[in-house]
Structures are given as C-alpha cells and as structure tokens.
Amino acid sequence: MIRKARTHVNQNEPLLFELSSPGKVGYQLPPLDVPPVDAAAALGAQNVRGEIEDFPEVSEVEAIRHFTRLSTWNYSIDLGMYPLGSCTMKYNPRINEQVAQVAGLAWAHPYQPEALAQGALEIMARLEAALAEITGMDAVTLQPAAGAHGELTGILVARALLASRGNPRRTVLIPDSAHGTNPATAAIAGYEVRNIQSNGRGMLDVPALARIVDEDVAALMITNPNTLGVFEENIRAIAGILHDKGALLYMDGANMNALAGLVRPGDNGVDVMHLNLHKTFSTPHGGGGPGGGPVAVKAELAPFLPIPRLKRAADEWTLDYERGQSIGRVRAFYGNFGVLVRALAYILAHGGEGLRNATLDAVLNATYIRKGIEADYEIAAQAPSMHECVFSDARQAARGVHTGDIAKRLIDYGFHPYTVSFPMIVHGAMMIEPTESESKRELDLFIDALVSIAREVEEDPETVLKAPHSTRITRVDEVRAARKPVVRWRPAG
Amino acid sequence: MRYLPKSDSERREMLAACGASSLEDLFAHLPEEVRLQRPLAIERGLSEYEILDYFRERGAQNASGGACFLGAGAYFHYRPVLVDAVVSRGEFLTSYTPYQAEISQGTLTAIFEFQTMMCQLTGMDVANASMYDGSTAVAEAAMMAARITGRKRLLAARTLHPEYREVLATYARNQGLEVVEFGYQPASGALDLEDLERKLDAATSAVIVQSPNFFGIVESVNAAGELAHRAGALLVDVFTEAVSLGLLAPPTGADIVAGELQSFAISPSFGGPYAGILATREKYIRQLPGRLVGETVDTRGNRAFCLTLATREQHIRREKATSNICTNQALVALMATVFMTVYGRRGLRELAEQNLAKAHYLGGKLPLRFSGPYFNEFVGTVEDPAALNQALLERKIVGGLPLARFYPELGDALLVCATEMARREDMDAVARVWEGAQ
Amino acid sequence: MSTYPEEFRYTKDHEWVRLEGDVATAGITDHAQSELGEIVYVDLPKVGARVEQGQVIGSVESVKAVSDIYSPVSGEVLEVNEQLGESPEKLNQDPHGSAWLMKVRPSAPGELSGLMSAADYRSYVGAED
C-alpha cells in the first residue's frame, strides 16, 4: 500500500533547441562605455567564427519555465530519503549555501594578493585543522576535487614516500568489496592491482593478507567500515602486517559517517586517507558534483603533499610553494573552495559533540532498518551493521525477482532506490544507508515499503518486475542507448 | 540539534527495537582500543547567525572594495540572476547522480542540453558531462591521446596555463608519459611553430595548445594541428576563457578540446569549484572519460535520457577504466547551461565582442609586450610590477598578474584582463597610474 | 537448449574456434552471450594483427559488464566481422554462425588439440550452471 504521495508535473517540456526561435532574447548587456572593436580587424578574419549554429535562443520566461519543469522530474534529498549505500545522502543545510555566496568569498580571485586573501586562507586553515582532528591525522590537503581525485592524490603521496626510501614498489592490494574508483586509481598511479578476499564474516581475510604482503606491496586500500557496512575490527593488526613489510595503509574515507567523533582512522594505523566532503560533510551532490576529496596523512607523508601548502608566517597565512618533495599539483589553484566553505559551515554547526551525535544517529538508523527488514530479506553479513546494511536478493531471486527490480518498485513507494548490485561480492546486493537525516517516520515508511514489496514478490511478482509504474518515464532502454549512442541533439533532416 | 529529526523518546523506541539499551551500545562490538576515548577537540556547535557572522567576517577580510583586473584562468563575468534561481532549487541542488533514470530526467535532460551546446560551441561531435576543471581536463585529454595513439610523448605549449602544465606533469609522470614543452615567439607571444616542428617525432601522441593562450594571444591552432597530424599525433586544443567561444573560430583541426567553463556563471570563488569540459570526434567516443548522457526511449516509447557507455567507467572497468573519475561537477555545469541559455546565440557573441572592446580600450593605452592578436587579456610592461600594483591597490584597484613567477624572462610584465565588467573610469585610472609608473 | 557444433574446439573462457584448411574462424559461445546479456559493443583486433592463444585480443560489452575475449588460436588476423560494428546484437542471435568474430591464419594449428571438444565443453558449462 503506497502511503506517500508524489506528484510529477506532467508537461512534455521539449529541449531548449526545440523551444528556440531566432530573435528571442533572454539577456541584456549594458551599452559599451568604450568604442566597439571590429573583431576581424583585431584578430584576423580567419580567427572569427560564424554563427553558433543551432544554438538556442529563448526568452527569460521560457528559460525559467524550462528548468523549473525539468527540476520537477527529479528526486532529491529535499523531497525524501536516498537510502544509497556509501553515498551518505544527508541533509544539505541551507546555511551552507548562504555562506558560500558571501561576496568576499564568492568573488575572490585565486590570484588576488595574499594580503587580500586572508579570509579565504583562514577558512582553509580552520577546515584543515578540523579534519585533522576528526581523522586523527597530522596534515591535510584540501586540493582534490572529489573522492577519486583524493584517492589518486593519496596513492601518489604514498608512492612518493616509498620512492624516497628507495623503492616505490609495484603492487597495491584492494579488497574484492572495494568501490571501483580504488582499482582505477591504483592503475592510473602506475600500480598493478591485486585483489584480496573477504572472509566468511564479511571482513578482510587477515591470514590471507599476511601471506601476500611482501616488499613488492606498496599499500593496501581499505574502506572502514567496509562496503558491507561492517567494521574491520582487525584494523590494527592489518596495519601492523603492512607496516612490518614497509607498506602503507590507505583508507578510503567514504564511510566516515560511521566513525566521526567515535573512531579516528589515524589512531588505528592508517597512514593516508581521503574524505568525501559531499558525503560525510553534507555538501550538496547537485546531480553529480561538485565534491571535495581532501587527503589526510601522517607526518612522515606530509612533505609529499601537493603544492601549495598553507603556512603560517608572521601573523598571516601564506601559500608555500617551496616544497621540493611534493608530488606537484593535482589541479589548478587550491581546491573546490566553495565546497570547503560548505563543509566548514557543517562542522561549525555541529561542533565536536554534534558530529558524534550525528554518527550515533546514523548507525541507529541503519540498525533500525536492518531489524525492520531482516525477516524478509537475506542479510549479507552477520556482523553488526554500522551506518549501512547490506542485504542480498537471494530469497526474491528464487522467485525470479532481482535487486534491480525491487529497487525500481521502491520508486512507486516514493523512495529513491538503494545501491543496486554493489558490492559485487554479494550476489544481488541491496546496499542501504539512511544517514542521520531521516526521522523515525521516514524510516518506518521505508521499512513498510520494503516489507510490502517482499510480499508482492510472493503474491504478484509481475508488478515488481515491471516497476516503476507511477513515474513519468518508465524503465529506459539502456541497451539502445549503448548500441547507438546519441549524445547530442541534432536538427531534424 | 536542528539537523537531527528525532526526539529522545523516538530514539529509545528505536533502540528497543534494535535490542540495544543506549546509543553507545551500538558501538560496543568495536574493540575498546580502536575507539576515541575523549571528545573531539572542536568547539561547540554554532547557531546559524554565528555561522553567518564568521563567514561574513572572513569575506570582509577578502575584499578590496574596487575593480580587479586579474584573469589568468579565472575570470570576472556577470552572473545572470536566473542561474542561482535555477541551481538553488532543491530538485537540482540536493539530487544525486542520475543513475536511476526514471526519477532523474531533470538532471539528465539538462546534461544532454549541456553536451549539445558544448558541441555546438567547440565544433566537436561529442562532449562529456564535465570534468573537475580545465587543468584536469587537459591531463585527461593527454591520457586519452596516449591511449588512442599508443604513443608516450606529449608536446605542450609553454603558453599553456602554467598550473595546467604542472598538473599535466603530475599525471604524466605516473603514466610513464614524457612531457616536452615548445616555446613561443618573443615578438608576437604566439606559438613558435618551428620549435614545435623540430620537437615532433614518431613517438608524439599529442600536441597541446591553448587559445587564447596564457598571454591572451589568439593562436593559429590549425597550423599546429597540421604539423601534429603529419607526425601522426593528435591535436588537443585548450581554452581557459569560455567567453572566447562566442567569437573565436573553433579549430577544425582539433581532435580533442579540453577547457574550463568558469566564465559561464561560475563564481571565481578563490579557485573552485569550477567545471572542465572534454569534447572530441565521434570516433573517439569510447575513449572519452567521464559521464555521458544519451538519448533513448522508455517502455512506452517516450523520449528519455540516461547515462550511457558506462562500460568506460570505473564502476565497471575498475582497473581498466578510461579514468578513475566518479563524482564530477554536475551542478556547476548546470550553472553554465543556464548561463548559455540566458545569453543564447546572439548574447554569447555580443558578450564576447564587449570583452574584446574593453580589453582593447585598456590595452590601447598601455605598453604591450606582444604584437599578436589578443582577446580579453594582454601582457603589459612596466619596470616594477610590484610597485605598480601597490599604487593601484591604494586606489582600491587590484592590478594584473605579475608574470615573473611563471615566466622568469618576463620580469617586467603583468597579465591584465578586462571583461565586460570593467568600467571605463577604472580602466582610465589604471592607465594613468601605469603611465606615472613608467 | 543451445547446440555446440561438433566441429568446433572450445576454450574455458568460452570462445570457440573452427579450422578449415588454413583458416581458423573464432567466436564466443552461446553460453558466453547468454551470460553477458544484450550485447551493445564488440571491440575486435585489427586485420593484420598477430595474436597468441590465450592472449586478450578484445572485449565484448553489455550495458553493465565488459568481458575480455581471449584468442583461442595463435596467428595472423585475416578478417574481422564488420557486421558486428553496426549490429552487435547478432552476437546474441547467432554466436556460432554469422556472428563469428575473426578469421585467423593459424601459426600453430596443433595447439587446437589442447582445447575442449564439444562434449567436454557441454559438460563444462553444465557444471558451471
């Protein structure tokens, strides 16, 4: 029974190019207060373009209507829960948006003189310090633009340390449960990837690790809690095994929402890690970014961090470029500053105790969901769930219904699907992370929906298999989109 | 706490359902020694008003109160009000990556429009849904060229943005790619094509040029392209000033275009978040990193959009992926999309023409280092750039970027940018002070 | 039920090869295409390329998965099936016939005897099911 109503505005809003007609304008520039310049004369006629063919021309009214209508076709956190595992889709506080738009910050040019950039540098310094405290690490860089970018930065920093000791080594170990960015990152950093398996409890197989770590291994990339939502309780032993052979422990911090304020990776042997500001620290996903992927390291890795580094000199902040051992730059300028502002605002709003309470609520919410549905779905690992719980579709698959179908049916109940088919070590995975932003009411509705779907699988599987039924667009033909990719509009004929 | 929607009584109910007696119980299964045994050393949570005050104070520390003539990869342009009206809608701001097409058609449709407009502006066949920024877009373009050609050498113009070259070096080093720079002509500030030709060889995978280049000079990109193609290499054309796309001819010889879209309504914001773009020819579509939105139909035959060719990406190919990129810059790209929509075909042209006029007005009053044709940035010379900028600051004007830090041979030069936002009276003031400093 | 032609030899990575005179034709098996689901793209070697038995020479993609193709035979690629560029779905429809992948001039035809017979392959995939 569907208790939550959502309405979609059902206009058949066309594309901008289909709304366009020559001569319509949506802008007005002030008249020039200087003489106009003939482009062909100034630049050479061969350098001046002709018309921008088929580029849209619409009025301001059509523009706002167009994007407003488009927006109504989107699900969003403001509308309801995203139970996406390892995505930490928490509330995006609106105060964060306000402060990011403060004029002195939004209009700051990255090259403005340092004397006029102290406000921005102070914000970055404060955030670095807060993230170091939260992670238990010694130094932080805010440069990487997203988690994957942070992973690459972190692995390159690790590589640089090992190279400074005489041998960058050849292999990075990655659990079979890892997020795809981990092996992709290791490959881009020039390492070979070796997979390591999980044990029967859903944790890293420590004896297996001990057998394969040797002086060819540069690092192990671990996620903690792992992608089964389970805490790697042997983390210290794991770190010990690696350190004994001169290897490093990298932690993917995507699941920090289970740890902030309660466990610090730096206290448990992690040498280098990245954080996802657009996950744990509430910066908005915006349909796919921007994010922020700061990297936190132990002191011995700090000399290798990307330039520039923030430095205190006299009574001022300054950017330090004189760092001979640095891996270099990983991007132009200093980082996704606008995202950093939002993340700092989030930390300031919570304070130390608030961060801890948010983590406790996140774990409570996930545990509550697990209890609510474990009679109907097969839990993937017996160990306690932290901020996320992972189930398999094993029972439903016996009736021919798979995780992807259940996910689509959830849409009819007004929810965004959970993470489907990941991690790959669970057959038919259903990965659920509610975050602390969900009320009991919302969680109960979600549990009700999944329990109801489980019943539908028994009594009326067709409904689940053909879901969603209530959306403006039904299941899309992904095969057609891949066989004959059409990635831009073209005029007919 | 205002972001936690539970009362204590609800927590107790939920804990009971979980078989736990307290919240701390939920962490009891963790070994004692891994847990933090003290509170975090972060001060108490602040109210909304205190947070606003904190950031306003930081903002006030950052302001000069007057005009700014900096460019160099980040530009001051008007931001149409519609941009924030659209992107601040919760349905765009707080939505997730559009993996579930049925409930993400808003995002997917907007990205499809974005991809189309980028193709129309750059003259390429396919464009992705954004990269982190221009610098990483260039690095990704280089890796893409290496994959396509199977060659390991990159030739990068010295007039490619210095920080972009640094990023390229970081990525290239770890991929076993060699980066060699070729120079510029000291008189014109444009590419030294002879130097390029000398350095091209059968191991070159790509020639990377920027236009307008870092000095603001418009390059003969196609000439560089011809040389590259003769050697079997690809041409990567780079732009940092997207407004130039409204006026400059897209190079017909480019194989890959990599650029920065910050000029399209993305606040300068002390360097980020920005949005990069990568565009290429149809035949290289499967080598393009990043997300791609494609057109398709749903079960009822209605037009719909979805993410496609995901098999290039990390979540499927893992270590064999074209890139490790996952989260990109979707919301920022949406700002650019709204910007392009507001200005439209004629507006982008008029905007670019205004930029040209403003910069040439100021440039016409100053001693220029280079004779080449420039768009909205140029290199001016003065004996003591630091002193000049100090004098301008006293008039609340932030002057151009002294180039010595990037080009030691240009110790007497500054890179000056004048966009449609530059006011005549401020430009006149700059000219007066500059003349006084000669 | 799929029929596995008797005159083919099979690899444990689900490729087949048929030798006729001095031309070896290779493809992927019905089991492979069925595991992959609807195929959207095939990446094949270039004509003239030298391939080795067991070496990765291309890949087959469905929407959500990519599978490497391992050459069942060593030699020189004489021809690749151009049709698959336009119509990759043929690989789902007729993997043992018109959707062959490549024709190779084998450099060591004797190596085919190391591959499975149709009967062996049938029980191999039966065992996997």
Side-chain angles (χ1 to χ4, degrees):
Chain A
M1 186 177 85
I2 300 171
R3 278 193 227 152
K4 183 167 165 184
R6 286 169 69 233
T7 48
H8 286 288
V9 180
N10 214 358
Q11 281 104 354
N12 288 312
E13 178 67 12
L15 297 173
L16 287 166
F17 320 98
E18 295 160 339
L19 287 168
S20 169
S21 100
K24 286 202 268 195
V25 284
Y27 79 100
Q28 179 181 354
L29 281 163
L32 273 175
D33 58 0
V34 298
V37 166
D38 181 74
L43 304 174
Q46 77 284 6
N47 285 326
V48 180
R49 72 175 308 148
E51 291 290 326
I52 312 169
E53 267 200 54
D54 299 317
F55 207 78
E57 292 173 86
V58 298
S59 67
E60 183 169 331
V61 178
E62 290 162 302
I64 197 76
R65 279 232 175 110
H66 177 74
F67 290 106
T68 301
R69 287 173 179 168
L70 254 47
S71 78
T72 63
W73 301 340
N74 268 5
Y75 191 89
S76 60
I77 296 178
D78 278 3
L79 188 64
M81 172 165 76
Y82 275 90
L84 288 166
S86 278
C87 290
T88 313
M89 294 294 284
K90 63 173 70 181
Y91 169 56
N92 304 138
R94 279 318 190 281
I95 185 69
N96 300 359
E97 300 307 308
Q98 282 280 300
V99 298
Q101 283 164 36
V102 164
L105 303 175
W107 285 95
H109 192 286
Y111 288 143
Q112 64 194 43
E114 277 185 2
L116 288 180
Q118 290 299 305
L121 297 175
E122 158 74 35
I123 286 168
M124 289 170 62
R126 186 145 180 192
L127 181 62
E128 279 188 12
L131 294 179
E133 169 64 4
I134 290 166
T135 56
M137 307 293 268
D138 302 319
V140 174
T141 174
L142 302 174
Q143 270 200 32
H149 203 204
E151 284 174 34
L152 181 62
T153 303
I155 292 293
L156 290 180
V157 166
R159 187 190 181 102
L161 171 67
L162 294 172
S164 79
R165 290 178 179 165
N167 177 14
R169 306 185 174 202
R170 277 200 331 215
T171 314
V172 166
L173 301 177
I174 297 181
D176 50 11
S177 56
H179 191 279
T181 51
N182 292 174
T185 293
I188 290 175
Y191 281 111
E192 277 166 30
V193 170
R194 242 187 113 172
N195 283 305
I196 178 160
Q197 276 159 323
S198 311
N199 62 21
R201 299 189 62 219
M203 300 179 202
L204 194 84
D205 189 334
V206 178
L209 179 72
R211 279 194 297 278
I212 70 174
V213 174
D214 58 20
E215 260 111 33
D216 247 353
V217 170
L220 166 71
M221 290 178 86
I222 199 172
T223 307
N224 193 14
N226 61 30
T227 57
L228 291 171
V230 161
F231 187 81
E232 291 282 2
E233 62 196 21
N234 299 309
I235 182 85
R236 288 187 167 206
I238 289 167
I241 291 170
L242 291 158
H243 294 155
D244 275 348
K245 290 287 201 292
L248 299 168
L249 181 56
Y250 180 96
M251 185 175 122
D252 180 328
N255 287 337
M256 267 309 285
N257 215 45
L259 304 182
L262 282 132
V263 177
R264 303 200 313 170
D267 296 340
N268 292 307
V270 170
D271 301 298
V272 48
M273 64 177 288
H274 81 271
L275 293 160
N276 300 67
L277 298 182
H278 48 296
K279 295 186 179 184
T280 321
F281 297 94
S282 87
T283 73
H285 259 76
V295 170
V297 301
K298 286 289 170 62
E300 57 182 2
L301 288 147
F304 306 96
L305 287 172
I307 44 160
R309 296 286 303 145
L310 267 176
K311 200 171 73 166
R312 193 88 183 143
D315 241 337
E316 288 211 325
W317 291 107
T318 183
L319 291 166
D320 180 16
Y321 291 87
E322 302 304 315
R323 298 179 61 91
Q325 292 185 293
S326 164
I327 59 169
R329 279 192 170 276
V330 294
R331 53 146 330 128
F333 313 125
Y334 320 118
N336 278 354
F337 180 76
V339 175
L340 305 179
V341 167
R342 291 168 168 87
L344 181 59
Y346 172 85
I347 292 171
L348 293 179
H350 282 79
E353 197 183 323
L355 290 171
R356 188 174 186 277
N357 290 336
T359 302
L360 290 170
D361 263 7
V363 174
L364 173 62
N365 284 358
T367 308
Y368 184 71
I369 289 178
R370 175 177 169 162
K371 283 286 179 230
I373 67 174
E374 68 184 358
D376 294 280
Y377 296 90
E378 187 111 333
I379 190 76
Q382 287 303 323
S385 299
M386 298 205 69
H387 68 312
E388 64 191 358
C389 53
V390 180
F391 288 82
S392 113
D393 65 3
R395 290 181 212 173
Q396 290 71 26
R399 306 271 289 149
V401 178
H402 296 100
T403 176
D405 306 309
I406 299 166
K408 295 294 186 194
R409 181 61 177 154
L410 252 183
I411 294 174
D412 288 328
Y413 282 80
F415 289 101
H416 189 281
Y418 46 72
T419 300
V420 172
S421 301
F422 181 80
M424 302 190 313
I425 52 168
V426 174
H427 202 272
M430 305 165 53
M431 194 193 199
I432 298 168
E433 179 190 354
T435 85
E436 71 274 15
S437 300
E438 299 308 322
S439 66
K440 180 173 180 297
R441 182 172 185 276
E442 198 88 359
L443 297 171
D444 286 334
L445 282 171
F446 180 72
I447 290 168
D448 280 356
L450 278 175
V451 167
S452 174
I453 294 171
R455 220 174 302 130
E456 286 172 356
V457 170
E458 294 300 312
E459 294 162 15
D460 177 23
E462 273 303 293
T463 302
V464 182
L465 287 168
K466 296 259 169 26
H469 306 279
S470 62
T471 47
R472 185 178 159 271
I473 295 289
T474 57
R475 290 204 202 191
V476 298
D477 189 347
E478 292 181 316
V479 171
R480 171 175 164 152
R483 278 189 184 150
K484 308 252 180 275
V486 174
V487 293
R488 57 165 295 181
W489 175 87
R490 285 186 195 277
Chain B
M1 201 275 168
R2 57 194 178 283
Y3 303 162
L4 297 180
K6 281 201 282 297
S7 64
D8 281 341
S9 65
E10 285 174 325
R11 286 195 183 88
R12 279 194 295 274
E13 264 187 78
M14 291 171 67
L15 282 167
C18 295
S21 51
S22 72
L23 288 168
E24 273 71 20
D25 255 9
L26 299 170
F27 274 76
H29 63 100
L30 267 60
E32 185 77 35
E33 67 268 15
V34 309
R35 284 183 259 163
L36 180 63
Q37 304 292 352
R38 59 165 176 82
L40 281 176
I42 293 177
E43 45 171 84
R44 67 161 175 90
L46 300 180
S47 71
E48 213 174 84
Y49 320 113
E50 291 167 297
I51 295 171
L52 258 173
D53 279 347
Y54 174 79
F55 285 99
R56 282 194 185 135
E57 279 159 34
R58 306 284 80 72
Q61 281 177 278
N62 257 24
S64 77
C68 180
F69 288 88
L70 286 169
Y75 303 94
F76 290 107
H77 292 288
Y78 288 120
R79 302 182 65 241
V81 293
L82 238 61
V83 173
D84 285 340
V86 170
V87 305
S88 63
R89 289 183 71 86
E91 299 92 334
F92 282 127
L93 184 74
T94 72
S95 65
Y96 182 62
T97 309
Y99 290 122
Q100 298 291 343
E102 299 89 339
I103 47 179
S104 316
Q105 289 297 300
T107 298
L108 290 164
T109 307
I111 296 176
F112 186 78
E113 292 173 327
F114 169 83
Q115 287 171 188
T116 304
M117 288 195 268
M118 292 316 308
C119 288
Q120 291 168 333
L121 283 173
T122 60
M124 294 284 113
D125 303 319
V126 328
N128 71 5
S130 81
M131 309 297 300
Y132 303 137
D133 72 343
S135 72
T136 52
V138 169
E140 295 270 7
M143 298 200 295
M144 185 175 152
R147 274 198 301 278
I148 291 169
T149 59
R151 299 176 176 188
K152 295 205 165 280
R153 205 154 169 272
L154 301 160
L155 288 185
R158 218 168 142 241
T159 48
L160 174 63
H161 193 300
E163 294 195 12
Y164 285 32
R165 278 182 282 130
E166 287 178 55
V167 174
L168 180 63
T170 306
Y171 276 75
R173 200 179 311 132
N174 295 285
Q175 295 270 294
L177 301 175
E178 185 199 355
V179 183
V180 171
E181 290 184 357
F182 61 98
Y184 62 91
Q185 298 168 56
S188 67
L191 292 175
D192 185 341
L193 292 172
E194 281 171 17
D195 193 25
L196 170 59
E197 191 164 11
R198 268 195 303 276
K199 290 176 171 154
L200 269 167
D201 65 6
T204 309
S205 65
V207 171
I208 307 172
V209 307
Q210 176 181 325
S211 182
N213 69 21
F214 187 69
F215 302 145
I217 307 288
V218 177
E219 297 280 18
S220 335
V221 179
N222 283 335
E226 269 166 52
L227 289 172
H229 294 145
R230 232 180 279 154
L234 299 181
L235 177 69
V236 177
D237 171 54
V238 180
F239 64 87
T240 60
E241 172 45 297
V243 166
S244 70
L245 298 171
L247 190 60
L248 298 187
T252 49
D255 299 292
I256 305 172
V257 173
E260 173 56 67
L261 294 175
Q262 177 272 321
S263 291
F264 284 178
I266 299 166
S267 303
S269 200
F270 205 58
Y274 292 168
I277 182 68
L278 216 47
T280 190
R281 302 276 171 217
E282 184 82 48
K283 59 183 167 177
Y284 299 131
I285 188 174
R286 285 191 144 75
Q287 291 305 319
L288 193 62
R291 300 198 175 117
L292 275 174
V293 170
E295 184 181 325
T296 184
V297 292
D298 73 356
T299 57
R300 297 183 206 143
N302 295 315
R303 177 172 69 186
F305 300 99
C306 66
L307 291 174
T308 191
L309 299 188
T311 44
R312 297 158 302 123
E313 297 185 70
Q314 47 77 26
H315 55 293
I316 292 177
R317 278 255 189 201
R318 296 173 72 93
E319 62 263 26
K320 297 186 192 162
T322 52
S323 163
N324 70 344
I325 190 170
C326 184
T327 292
N328 56 353
Q329 303 291 105
L331 193 73
V332 187
L334 181 60
M335 291 181 197
T337 306
V338 177
F339 176 94
M340 291 190 281
T341 303
V342 166
Y343 274 101
R345 179 153 118 161
R346 296 200 301 162
L348 284 184
R349 177 77 176 223
E350 189 183 335
L351 178 64
E353 286 169 347
Q354 284 214 356
N355 274 256
L356 187 74
K358 299 276 193 171
H360 281 249
Y361 176 78
L362 182 55
K365 293 181 183 302
L366 302 178
L368 299 183
R369 176 56 173 256
F370 298 120
S371 60
Y374 60 93
F375 176 57
N376 68 359
E377 287 184 277
F378 55 85
V379 177
T381 55
V382 76
E383 199 181 313
D384 189 345
L388 170 66
N389 275 349
Q390 188 53 40
L392 286 171
L393 259 183
E394 279 152 29
R395 288 160 181 74
K396 293 190 178 306
I397 296 176
V398 177
L401 179 72
L403 287 178
R405 69 187 268 198
F406 293 131
Y407 300 89
E409 73 276 18
L410 298 175
D412 62 346
L414 301 107
L415 181 63
V416 179
C417 177
T419 69
E420 78 281 5
M421 290 187 78
R423 297 185 312 170
R424 184 181 181 126
E425 65 233 51
D426 292 318
M427 292 194 279
D428 286 343
V430 170
R432 271 196 307 275
V433 175
W434 202 301
E435 202 187 349
Q438 287 297 78
Chain C
M1 260 320 334
S2 46
T3 36
Y4 291 102
E6 295 297 323
E7 66 272 22
F8 290 3
R9 305 292 291 184
Y10 300 83
T11 69
K12 54 177 181 44
D13 297 302
H14 310 291
E15 292 92 11
W16 58 262
V17 60
R18 177 184 77 227
L19 187 59
E20 285 170 313
D22 62 351
V23 174
T25 307
I28 63 168
T29 66
D30 186 59
H31 176 90
Q33 70 77 19
S34 141
E35 288 280 290
L36 275 162
E38 299 196 62
I39 291 171
V40 302
Y41 182 72
V42 187
D43 182 35
L44 295 170
K46 293 198 170 33
V47 171
R50 303 217 65 86
V51 297
E52 292 293 313
Q53 191 185 54
Q55 175 203 30
V56 172
I57 47 130
S59 61
V60 190
E61 291 180 21
S62 61
V63 170
K64 298 261 194 281
V66 187
S67 238
D68 287 326
I69 306 171
Y70 300 86
S71 185
V73 61
S74 309
E76 184 195 329
V77 178
L78 299 171
E79 204 185 328
V80 294
N81 192 341
E82 303 286 342
Q83 283 193 5
L84 297 179
E86 256 304 299
S87 313
E89 62 273 14
K90 283 199 187 329
L91 210 36
N92 294 113
Q93 293 155 2
D94 192 14
H96 299 158
S98 62
W100 52 272
L101 295 180
M102 63 178 183
K103 294 188 197 280
V104 172
R105 188 193 323 282
S107 57
E111 68 189 352
L112 297 191
S113 61
L115 302 180
M116 283 183 265
S117 67
D120 288 341
Y121 185 71
R122 252 176 247 130
S123 50
Y124 176 64
V125 296
E128 276 202 339
D129 278 346

